[in-house]
Amino acid sequence: MAKSTSKDAQDLFRALWSAYSATPTNLKIIDLYVIFAVFTALIQVAYVALVGSFPFNSFLSGVLSCVGTAVLAVCLRIQVNKENKEFKDLAPERAFADFVLCNVVLHLVIMNFLG
């Protein structure tokens, strides 16, 4: 039973990897950015768990900045994806401009939250 489960998991991983290898490079770059933002948020949470959260506003600002940026990057990925028919009329430049504008607003709110 365990051997077949392991083989099924390996087959699933190979199928996902082969499907992902066909993904365009610009989407892979956005995926790396999302992974980096989430990883940075996890590092901040681990730091607070180990050291403490004395300036709690700073902790919240850092984590919300990372999570908000990751969410906005996922939205950018959805809009830029050529296979997504819902945004076929939206130019990639417009999607990137929306991403930059929303990031500016997000970080202005976060800086205001810092005090």
Side-chain angles (χ1 to χ4, degrees):
M1 176 83 177
K3 190 167 188 154
S4 69
T5 304
S6 174
K7 183 171 175 6
D8 290 342
Q10 288 176 353
D11 291 341
L12 177 65
F13 182 73
R14 283 191 198 105
L16 286 173
W17 186 256
S18 65
Y20 188 72
S21 65
T23 303
T25 306
N26 62 343
L27 296 181
K28 288 181 182 179
I29 292 171
I30 295 172
D31 291 341
L32 285 174
Y33 181 69
V34 170
I35 291 169
F36 173 74
V38 170
F39 183 69
T40 305
L42 291 175
I43 288 175
Q44 291 177 16
V45 170
Y47 177 82
V48 164
L50 293 174
V51 177
S53 64
F54 165 59
F56 194 65
N57 284 356
S58 298
F59 163 68
L60 284 180
S61 295
V63 170
L64 292 177
S65 171
C66 292
V67 171
T69 301
V71 168
L72 291 174
V74 168
C75 293
L76 175 66
R77 187 189 194 285
I78 290 171
Q79 292 176 355
V80 172
N81 191 357
K82 298 285 187 209
E83 295 179 8
N84 192 351
K85 303 299 181 203
E86 192 172 332
F87 295 102
K88 65 180 178 188
D89 296 334
L90 185 68
E93 294 83 8
R94 164 74 192 273
F96 186 71
D98 290 347
F99 170 74
V100 170
L101 180 66
C102 289
N103 262 308
V104 167
V105 171
L106 171 72
H107 286 91
L108 285 174
V109 170
I110 287 171
M111 284 192 293
N112 186 35
F113 183 69
L114 279 172

